[in-house]
Amino acid sequence: RPPWSAMSGCLRPSGPRAFPGGDLEQPGVFETFLTSRASATRELIFLSVGDTRDHRRQYKDPALRTISTDFLLNLLGNLRALDIDHHAILTTPSLCGQLQRTYCEYSCAWTSLWHSHPGLEPWSLKPHDMFLMWQQQWRYIARALELGYRVLRADTDVYFAESPYPILHGPLLSRASMVVQQDFGGPLGERPACNRALAPGAQTCGVHSGTALLNIGLLYVRSAPGGGAYHVINQTWSRFLNVLGHAPSRPPHLNGKVDPNPLIDQQLMRDALSDLAVPTDQPERKPRGQWLVVPGSADAVYSPGAGCALRNAAACEAVAAQRRKTAFLVQYAAPREAVSNRRVEQVALAPDWLFGRGCLTHVRMPKALIDRVDLNAGKATECLTPPAEKGRTMLAPGPAAGLLVATHFVYSMALKRKRTFRSFGWDLGDARPRTNYSRGTCWERSKKGILFGHTFFTQTDSKYILCAMPADDAPACACCAGLPASPDTKSALQIETTEGRPMINPRQITTLAGCGDYQMFWDRR
């Protein structure tokens, strides 16, 4: 453990305390970890980062091995800008030591949980493998719930443009014991939509007939033993142990290697929720396996006294009007067995402006593109830098500013995500001086850009957001503008792979507008 003198230089005058590190399986360490790192209101953000040479990405995305730490540092910088510091990091002993020594980050711990499980070797797992750490985190989140904490669990490649708490505690979502990102688009199913008008005094607008898939990269839970949401979390890790106790499959297409898919926590949690779902008569009758649709206009978004991130009444009303158009889904879950204090609890799949998925591709010659599509917009572009005001951070780029809260760039190569954070001015883990440009001149800084699509853009006028990449790998202002899904835009776009090879795929350009295919934008070569 580091000496107290080393930790004391990293302390803030208020808020969570420094934690020296330790094995969460040792007596009292986990409880001290929580009391040190949680907020005064018992909120906790749980993060994990370990050995990213996992079965799926060891060869598919080798850059993730080092960039994963960059993602973590960016997220911590993002949270600090929002004046949120109640995070706790599950990691390896070596990385925890690195975070302490190099970054003064005394918020990490490690664990020996299940390291001697006899199923590890048959499943080609080892201590600190991410497949194992993903499940360990759910066991510790369940324990945190048992001790009365509320937990926001986030992947480290997430960005928060504003604090999610005034929304999670606001009237629209306060009924939910769990709020989790939804996966949809293309083969994953359609975006939620009301299938009838909202009746006076009603909370829902129909029964959903499509898919309802959890993406656990963003999940907030406030529950306790006996509650349906708690049991979804608890069953996720217990199902993993059940799988680990059986022999793995070695299908022919993997040339005799172990198929790791049965170990993935996301599918295990989806299955757990499906099994724990219950039928309801209120707020509307639905069968056990189906979800209810909630209109975005059902209630106020923010808790009393809080408001949108734009600090302008007219602009905030425009944001509210867009968000009111966004329906989302709710399910009801309860333990199947007879348990003490059994409760039916609501699980909400978050509206995609709150927890949503972005899709990305590289483009060539952003200045020529913006000049052709909207010359006036290019000349008027203001290159933006993160605000210095405490509690505020860089918003979403271009016309998405104020609309999007937490964006998750899942299913894109790590290097492309890193470049995107740099282009958006979201690289808040980098303390170097930030280059700025005068109005309209930033488009000239690079011959490459990032084109950003999002599921939420299906309902906005701008279907893409174009950002010029910085001139080098140093922090810079965000040079971004919205683009319509017009023939001029599509004909002018020159898209390329992460490695710079040209791509000729008109379907990709069309699909990017609403992030309609969850794997099309990986572009590994």
Side-chain angles (χ1 to χ4, degrees), residues 195-206:
N195 51 42
R196 60 169 173 75
L198 183 65
Q203 300 173 3
T204 58
C205 56

Side-chain angles (χ1 to χ4, degrees), residues 251-451:
H253 73 277
L254 293 180
N255 299 315
K257 293 182 179 179
V258 170
D259 178 9
N261 286 305
L263 302 173
I264 296 174
D265 56 343
Q266 182 160 275
Q267 187 58 51
L268 292 172
M269 189 176 292
R270 289 173 178 176
D271 294 342
L273 178 55
S274 178
D275 286 350
L276 296 176
V278 296
T280 62
D281 292 321
Q282 296 293 330
E284 182 175 342
R285 181 183 295 273
K286 77 162 189 69
R288 184 178 74 85
Q290 289 189 285
W291 295 64
L292 295 177
V293 186
V294 178
S297 59
D299 218 326
V301 167
Y302 290 95
S303 55
C308 94
L310 293 179
R311 308 296 177 88
N312 176 283
C316 283
E317 177 49 40
V319 166
Q322 281 284 9
R323 290 174 173 176
R324 283 194 289 267
K325 300 176 186 177
T326 309
F328 62 96
L329 304 180
V330 296
Q331 180 59 277
Y332 292 85
R336 301 293 295 274
E337 66 276 13
V339 297
S340 175
N341 200 25
R342 181 182 183 273
R343 300 181 308 284
V344 175
E345 291 184 334
Q346 186 187 98
V347 176
L349 297 186
D352 54 354
W353 53 260
L354 174 60
F355 294 167
R357 186 177 80 244
C359 290
L360 308 165
T361 196
H362 291 83
V363 296
R364 296 177 175 176
M365 304 300 180
K367 183 181 187 306
L369 175 57
I370 194 70
D371 285 352
R372 175 172 171 179
V373 175
D374 194 339
L375 180 60
N376 291 331
K379 291 180 177 179
T381 300
E382 182 181 356
C383 206
L384 301 176
T385 57
E389 182 183 345
K390 185 177 181 180
R392 299 188 66 197
T393 192
M394 196 74 172
L395 299 178
L403 288 171
L404 305 180
V405 178
T407 303
H408 185 198
F409 292 117
V410 68
Y411 312 124
S412 286
M413 290 190 77
L415 181 57
K416 180 163 59 173
R417 284 177 277 169
K418 181 179 179 180
R419 291 171 176 169
T420 297
F421 274 60
R422 188 76 83 195
S423 301
F424 290 5
W426 287 359
D427 50 345
L428 302 182
D430 194 327
R432 290 178 292 172
R434 193 171 294 273
T435 305
N436 210 339
Y437 298 82
S438 58
R439 184 183 296 271
T441 64
C442 57
W443 295 106
E444 302 170 4
R445 71 187 185 185
S446 176
K447 294 183 179 180
K448 291 191 176 186
I450 295 289
L451 197 66

Side-chain angles (χ1 to χ4, degrees), residues 131 201 219 243 247 279 343 346 382 410 465 522:
F131 275 82
L219 182 149
V243 173
R343 300 181 308 284
Q346 186 187 98
E382 182 181 356
V410 68
I465 293 175
W522 182 264

